[in-house]
Amino acid sequence: MRVSYNAPLVVKLIEQQLWFDYVSGVSAGASHALNYLSRDAERTRRSFVELGNDPQMGSWFTWLQGKGRLNAEYIYQHTAAPGEVLPFDFETFAANPATMRFSAFDVEAGEEVWWTKDDCATLTDLMLRVRASSSMPILMPPTFIDGRMYADGACGVNAGIPLGVAQADGYERFLIVLSQPRKFTKIPDAPHLLFRTWLREHPKLIAGMIDRTARYNRLRAEIAELEASGKAYVFYSESIPYPNTLQNLRKLRANYNAGARQSEQELPRMLKWLRPYISR
């Protein structure tokens, strides 16, 4: 829900009809990516603002029920169905010629798994995988696909920033949208004992969570170098550091509106950088 701040940037890209041939996202970024590829500005906003006020969104009560502090099954698999609160335009998404890459963490193998639109023949296939990409350990239950257990893609080697996979696919210039401010440095998570106790049956997941701090900071340093060399335009979310579980509608709206102001301010400079690399 923290990415309610950069949702307005996705809305701007859609409204400006700025279409990229390659889009990649992890966790909440995967939701932004699929909304962008379905060209649905309204769903982009509602996913990270109004949905927070939905009584079925989740609570500590649903967490005690085993459904998660955020009710993952409801958020990803129920709301997207036709006639529900966030119906997803799967036909437009599937017809979009752009490549989409998004990842989850295979808990047993201890490695990232990357999916494309080819792995998502149906709406159910797509939403189950986006749920897997966003399944925050402890706060949300793992997602099972074909008998495999998956957790949030941010536990993988890319630490939630899918730069490496885009580079491996041959790309050299990037529009990078981050959910943290420019000067942010990730510090180690304090509750390592909680990880080791709660997830003791999944040592590779524990390692992925503990190692994420160093991997994230290395990627941020690499992104700064790409930006300095002109190979990346980076949108840094200059937002109040709200938690991922924020559900206060007033704060979500305020966060979205603040992101909208920053997006509007940055748009001319961003467009100048983007013009040679995009189609309309």
Side-chain angles (χ1 to χ4, degrees), residues 33-87:
L34 67 88
N35 285 329
Y36 169 79
L37 290 175
S38 68
R39 302 182 177 180
D40 194 335
E42 180 66 9
R43 190 179 195 276
T44 300
R45 180 183 63 81
R46 290 181 57 80
S47 294
F48 293 101
V49 181
E50 281 83 1
L51 186 63
N53 199 45
D54 189 319
Q56 299 185 73
M57 176 76 171
S59 64
W60 287 115
F61 180 69
T62 58
W63 183 79
L64 290 172
Q65 290 179 314
K67 298 178 181 179
R69 170 61 183 81
L70 296 176
N71 187 348
E73 182 177 357
Y74 175 74
I75 293 168
Y76 295 99
Q77 294 168 260
H78 184 84
T79 64
E84 297 297 338
V85 296
L86 287 174

Side-chain angles (χ1 to χ4, degrees), residues 24-25 30 100-104 113-116 120 126 129-130 133:
S24 187
M100 178 182 175
R101 292 275 241 154
F102 62 112
S103 73
V113 173
W114 287 92
W115 292 303
T116 70
C120 306
L126 174 64
R129 284 162 175 78
V130 173
S133 183

Side-chain angles (χ1 to χ4, degrees), residues 10 18 20-21 25 41 51 58 100 126 129 135 141 145-146 161 175 222 228 234 270:
V10 182
L18 301 173
F20 296 90
D21 296 328
L51 186 63
M100 178 182 175
L126 174 64
R129 284 162 175 78
S135 295
I145 302 174
D146 297 331
I161 304 175
L175 170 62
E222 182 179 353
V234 187
M270 185 184 300

Side-chain angles (χ1 to χ4, degrees), residues 83-105:
E84 297 297 338
V85 296
L86 287 174
F88 183 72
D89 188 347
F90 186 76
E91 289 186 5
T92 297
F93 169 82
N96 193 317
T99 296
M100 178 182 175
R101 292 275 241 154
F102 62 112
S103 73
F105 184 79

